[in-house]
Amino acid sequence: RELGVGGALIDVHGAVSGEVAAAMALGAREQSGATWAIAVTGVAGPGGGTEEKPVGLVWFAVAGAKGVTTLRRRFPGDRDFVRKLSVMQALELLRRVRQDINPVPLIPGMGE
């Protein structure tokens, strides 16, 4: 609600989706007046996963003046490990978007 993400968007795509991550990042940028905004939504576990959206699935979004970039990753491990990798990946995505570098996995061979 604080970021202006509509309930209809969540109903259609689910809270863990690229569309919702993008809307969160755009809303955060707009509400804060920041140059850049990062959003992360995912299933860190231990429960809550489904076949379609398993534990470890994380969507990232970075919003800037040129628009929004989203990235999907699936990380292995327990809740704490997924959260730690998610923070690192979010910051790495921001770095890559700012430097106009194609987003790639944080750790080669890890994640989808």
Side-chain angles (χ1 to χ4, degrees), residues 6-98:
L9 188 67
I10 294 171
D11 290 344
V12 171
H13 299 286
V16 179
S17 65
E19 293 82 2
V20 168
M24 290 168 60
L26 289 168
R29 185 171 182 266
E30 183 178 312
Q31 293 294 321
S32 69
T35 303
W36 296 95
I38 303 171
V40 180
T41 181
V43 185
T50 65
E51 189 172 319
E52 184 179 296
K53 296 180 181 183
V55 170
L57 175 65
V58 184
W59 275 96
F60 303 88
V62 170
K66 293 183 180 180
V68 64
T69 300
T70 60
L71 181 68
R72 178 188 187 272
R73 290 283 176 258
R74 183 165 176 215
F75 297 121
D78 63 15
R79 180 179 182 82
D80 188 51
F81 192 63
V82 169
R83 292 176 73 190
K84 286 177 182 176
L85 285 177
S86 295
V87 169
M88 289 188 290
Q89 180 65 79
L91 294 172
E92 177 66 6
L93 179 60
L94 173 63
R95 184 186 74 81
R96 288 176 171 276
V97 169
R98 288 190 64 195

